[in-house]
């Protein structure tokens, strides 16, 4: 079977992993830590070796990583005439992005697409297997910008090339102002509220918002969320300390005190209460739902079917945690809300985290 690149305008016959395995250039990894460990595990499984590790010149302190001395970039350039760079960390900071873009202008820089949650990998084999589902999800998007972003995500995921991520991004404020009828929202549900950052943006952008139910399962983040709620004056913030899923009860949860906290976490876990969206909302009217729950998005939707059917809220759904989220969740949400318009947007981030699907009900215009 030929690689069906026609609809995505690509000419490559391999994916990034094939190209790295066949590369004659030394492969060097930029960065250390958990991200590098995950990438190295995939590389090793596919018979790909990393020659060296490096950090930015000002951060080299004689560290040893995977039995190799961490070099500075200056030392890498002195050691090798040419090389492939594997980026092993994520960032949205302007100065870091500009540095990575400058490296990409000179060298072959790849950013592996490893899922935040789960063990799946979107490679050539997955693309071929899921091709019809991918094309169907693409057809459900409501504007050209969404389709272009979807195409770039496919191209990036297969190639790891930064060129597909250097355009077509927005700030969160721009996403809100461009797509959402922000003056229509009176009550919102914030799933994955963290310490209050998304609720703060809602309070700022939604001019008539009066209540935000903010749900956060991580205990340390929840304490900060409560302090944020106490300080809120114009908007009533109701913090709830539960994990959202499609059942009521308890589950094991990785309490990491940051955005990596999840039911899929690898660190020490503890028992937390689980509730559904329907159980949390009850008979209240909700105009807008944000769902960013570290890979548990589909379960959150399943547990909120009655609320969605009753309230017909606009929805902002994260579609980047799992390897196939960017197309499977589009189709799944369309099945729940077949009359909604679907828009795909993302902020400037390497790798492309925080990709969001906005599902908008026409009656909210």
């Amino acid at each position: 079977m030929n690689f069906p690149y026609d609809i995505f305008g690509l000419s490559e016959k391999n994916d990034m992993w094939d190209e790295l395995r066949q590369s004659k250039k030394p492969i060097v990894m930029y960065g250390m830590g958990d991200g590098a460990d995950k990438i190295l595990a995939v590389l090793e499984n596919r018979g790909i070796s990393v020659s060296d590790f490096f950090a930015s010149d000002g951060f080299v302190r004689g560290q040893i990583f995977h039995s190799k001395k961490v070099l500075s970039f200056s030392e890498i350039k002195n050691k090798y005439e040419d090389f492939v760079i594997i980026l092993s960390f994520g960032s949205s900071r302007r100065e870091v992005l500009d540095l990575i873009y400058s490296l990409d202008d000179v060298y072959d820089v790849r950013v592996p697409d490893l899922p935040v949650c789960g063990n799946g990998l979107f490679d050539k084999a997955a693309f071929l297997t899921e091709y019809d589902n991918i094309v169907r999800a693409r057809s459900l998007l409501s504007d050209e910008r969404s389709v272009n972003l979807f195409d770039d995500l496919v191209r990036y995921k297969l190639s790891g090339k930064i060129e597909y991520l250097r355009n077509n991004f927005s700030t969160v404020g721009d996403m809100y102002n461009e797509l959402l009828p922000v003056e229509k929202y009176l009550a919102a549900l914030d799933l994955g509220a963290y310490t209050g950052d998304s609720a703060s943006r809602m309070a700022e952008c939604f001019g008539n918002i009066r209540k935000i139910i903010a749900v956060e399962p991580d205990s340390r983040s929840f304490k900060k969320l409560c302090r944020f709620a106490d300080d809120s004056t114009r908007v009533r913030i109701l913090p709830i300390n539960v994990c959202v899923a499609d059942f009521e009860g308890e589950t094991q949860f990785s309490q990491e005190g940051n955005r990596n906290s999840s039911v899929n976490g690898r660190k020490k876990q503890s028992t937390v209460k689980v509730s559904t969206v329907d159980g949390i909302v009850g008979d209240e009217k909700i105009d807008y739902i944000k769902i960013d729950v570290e890979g548990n998005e589909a379960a959150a939707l399943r547990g909120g079917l009655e609320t969605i059917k009753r309230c017909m809220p606009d929805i902002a759904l994260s579609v980047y945690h799992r390897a196939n989220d960017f197309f499977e969740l589009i189709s799944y949400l369309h099945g729940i809300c077949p009359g909604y318009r679907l828009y795909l947007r993302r902020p400037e981030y390497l790798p492309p985290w925080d990709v969001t699907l906005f599902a908008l009900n026409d009656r909210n215009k």
Side-chain angles (χ1 to χ4, degrees):
M1 182 177 181
N2 293 324
F3 211 171
Y5 268 131
D6 53 322
I7 197 171
F8 299 104
L10 291 176
S11 59
E12 293 97 331
K13 300 302 180 185
N14 300 319
D15 61 16
M16 182 191 75
W17 310 102
D18 292 329
E19 292 180 356
L20 291 177
R21 187 168 49 249
Q22 297 168 14
S23 177
K24 304 300 182 183
K25 298 177 184 179
I27 297 170
V28 297
M29 184 170 287
Y30 183 10
M32 301 165 281
D34 290 345
D37 287 336
K38 290 176 66 175
I39 295 170
L40 284 168
V42 177
L43 291 171
E44 181 179 348
N45 185 56
R46 295 180 178 234
I48 303 167
S49 299
V50 172
S51 299
D52 274 302
F53 303 95
F54 75 93
S56 301
D57 286 3
F59 291 90
V60 176
R61 301 286 189 272
Q63 303 99 317
I64 302 296
F65 189 65
H66 285 262
S67 302
K68 290 181 179 290
K69 180 183 177 182
V70 177
L71 304 179
S72 67
F73 186 58
S74 299
E75 290 173 315
I76 291 289
K77 289 191 293 183
N78 289 333
K79 187 173 182 178
Y80 303 110
E81 181 176 349
D82 196 10
F83 42 86
V84 178
I85 298 174
I86 303 293
L87 186 70
S88 69
F89 60 89
S91 182
S92 61
R93 292 171 53 191
R94 181 76 266 153
E95 66 274 20
V96 176
L97 294 174
D98 288 343
L99 171 61
I100 296 168
Y101 293 156
S102 69
L103 291 175
D104 188 51
D105 289 337
V106 179
Y107 302 97
D108 183 359
V109 179
R110 303 295 179 106
V111 184
D113 176 49
L114 266 61
V116 178
C117 304
N119 297 317
L121 198 64
F122 189 80
D123 57 7
K124 180 171 64 177
F127 177 74
L128 290 169
T129 300
E130 299 288 352
Y131 184 73
D132 290 342
N133 294 327
I134 293 166
V135 173
R136 178 178 182 273
R138 180 183 188 269
S139 72
L140 298 173
L141 297 170
S142 295
D143 71 345
E144 183 178 3
R145 184 172 180 181
S146 298
V147 173
N148 290 339
L149 174 53
F150 186 92
D151 290 354
D152 282 341
L153 287 173
V154 171
R155 294 162 183 153
Y156 153 71
K157 287 171 176 289
L158 291 171
S159 70
K161 292 181 178 180
I162 294 175
E163 65 185 86
Y164 300 120
L165 302 178
R166 294 180 73 160
N167 298 295
N168 205 347
F169 48 78
S170 311
T171 67
V172 174
D174 287 343
M175 294 180 209
Y176 283 0
N177 293 327
E178 174 197 358
L179 293 173
L180 304 181
V182 292
E183 300 302 319
K184 298 284 188 179
Y185 303 140
L186 302 179
L189 178 63
D190 184 359
L191 303 179
Y194 191 42
T195 60
D197 55 339
S198 50
S200 178
R201 284 193 294 268
M202 291 180 201
E204 178 182 353
C205 296
F206 301 170
N208 293 315
I209 194 78
R210 291 294 176 263
K211 184 195 310 184
I212 300 173
I213 302 172
V215 181
E216 173 56 47
D218 183 87
S219 58
R220 283 179 287 178
S221 297
F222 184 72
K223 290 179 182 178
K224 296 177 182 178
L225 175 63
C226 290
R227 289 197 290 270
F228 166 77
D230 289 341
D231 292 337
S232 178
T233 54
R234 187 181 71 83
V235 180
R236 184 185 178 199
I237 310 292
L238 302 177
I240 298 179
N241 186 207
V242 299
C243 180
V244 178
D246 52 1
F247 65 96
E248 300 279 348
E250 295 181 337
T251 191
Q252 292 298 299
F253 185 85
S254 178
Q255 303 268 7
E256 301 187 27
N258 55 41
R259 295 185 184 277
N260 296 320
S261 301
S262 72
V263 294
N264 309 289
R266 294 177 294 171
K267 294 186 179 180
K268 184 177 179 180
Q269 298 197 336
S270 59
T271 301
V272 299
K273 183 179 178 182
V274 177
S275 187
T276 64
V277 167
D278 293 338
I280 292 167
V281 173
D283 59 0
E284 291 198 47
K285 176 69 170 67
I286 296 295
D287 306 301
Y288 177 84
I289 303 177
K290 184 221 85 177
I291 309 175
D292 184 356
V293 287
E294 302 302 317
N296 226 28
E297 282 76 15
L301 287 170
R302 287 193 298 270
L305 294 179
E306 289 302 318
T307 298
I308 293 171
K309 180 179 178 181
R310 176 175 57 84
C311 299
M312 299 293 286
D314 289 344
I315 299 171
L317 178 71
S318 290
V319 293
Y320 70 96
H321 292 105
R322 298 183 182 275
N324 293 349
D325 275 356
F326 78 102
F327 65 92
E328 287 184 345
L329 289 178
I330 290 174
S331 295
Y332 185 68
L333 189 52
H334 171 73
I336 295 173
C337 307
Y340 278 40
R341 292 168 291 119
L342 303 179
Y343 299 91
L344 203 62
R345 296 292 188 269
R346 74 173 185 94
E348 189 177 13
Y349 215 127
L350 292 178
W353 294 338
D354 290 350
V355 179
T356 301
L357 178 68
F358 290 93
L360 307 184
N361 175 9
D362 277 335
R363 77 178 189 181
N364 287 330
K365 283 185 176 181

